[in-house]
Amino acid sequence: MVNVYEAAAKFYDALSGERCVYRAGRELGVALLALRAGDTVLDLGCGTGLNLALLVDAAGPSGTVIGLDRSPEMLEIARRRVEANGWTSVRLIKADATTFNPSVVAKELPAASGGHVDAVFSSYAMSVFDDWHPAWDRMRALLSPGGRAGIVDMQLPVGRARVFSPLVRLAAAVGGADLAAWPWTVLEREGVQVQHESVRGGHIQVVAATIP
Ligand SMILES: C[S@@+](CC[C@H](N)C(=O)[O-])C[C@H]1O[C@@H](n2cnc3c(N)ncnc32)[C@H](O)[C@@H]1O
C-alpha cells in the first residue's frame, strides 16, 4: 500500500491545512508544554518539522530538540528546515515510534540528561500510528519523572462544527488517521496538572500534563 507520508511528503506542508486549521493546535500544544530554557524535548512523529521552530524557540539555544519519524521523505524536509534555520540544537532520528529502542534517543541527549528528556510532545501523529500505546510507553520511558507531556490530535468536530465532519473524515482517510484513537486520554489518566483545551470546533484536542 502507498504510504502517503513517503509518496507525498513534499506536498505535506502546502496541503495539510496548516495555516487555516492545524497551526492553532500546535501553537497551543507547545505553549501548554511550558518548556524552560535548556530543556530537552522529544517530538514523536515529527514529520516535516512544523513544530521545530516553536520547540527550538521555547527550549532556547541551550536546549535540545529531537524529532523522530519513520518516513525518510518527511525527515528530509525536516532536515532541510533545520539547515535553512541554522538550528544546531535539533537532532532527527529515523525510527518507528511504536517499536524503537529508547536508547536511540538517549544517545542523542546531552550527557547531563541521564538519558531522559524533560518533555515529550506529539502532534497529529499518534492517531496515524498503527497503535499509539507502545509509542506512549516509549515516550514515558524516556521522560524524566515529573516531566511534561503534550499531545495534540484530532477527532470529529462537535456541535455546530459537525457540518465539517465529511471534510474531516476525508482528510483523515487520506492521512491514515484514526479519528477514534484519542491518544490524549492517556495524559488524563496518567498525568497530574492536566490542561485540556480544544480548538476548531472540537476537532483538535490539545492536552498537556505533568507525568509523575
Ligand atoms: C500527519 S503527520 C504529522 C507530522 C507532524 N507531527 C505535524 O504536526 O505536522 C504524521 C506523521 O507520523 C509519521 N508516522 C506514522 N506512523 C509512524 C510510526 N509508526 N513511527 C514514526 N512515525 C510515524 C508519518 O511519517 C508522518 O510524518
Side-chain angles (χ1 to χ4, degrees), residues 53-139:
L54 296 166
L55 295 173
V56 167
D57 201 37
S62 59
T64 303
V65 179
I66 298 183
L68 182 150
D69 202 283
R70 77 172 175 193
S71 160
E73 290 79 2
M74 296 291 272
L75 281 175
E76 174 56 19
I77 294 168
R79 190 193 64 72
R80 280 189 235 147
R81 193 184 297 278
V82 170
E83 197 177 272
N85 286 282
W87 292 324
T88 54
S89 60
V90 178
R91 310 278 177 273
L92 297 172
I93 298 173
K94 183 199 161 318
D96 189 313
T98 64
T99 58
F100 74 97
N101 185 327
S103 67
V104 301
V105 172
K107 73 178 184 214
E108 298 293 339
L109 294 170
S113 71
H116 288 92
V117 292
D118 300 300
V120 290
F121 188 69
S122 188
S123 62
Y124 313 119
M126 293 173 82
S127 61
V128 175
F129 300 167
D130 296 335
D131 177 6
W132 58 261
H133 296 86
W136 168 250
D137 291 344
R138 286 161 173 77
M139 292 164 89

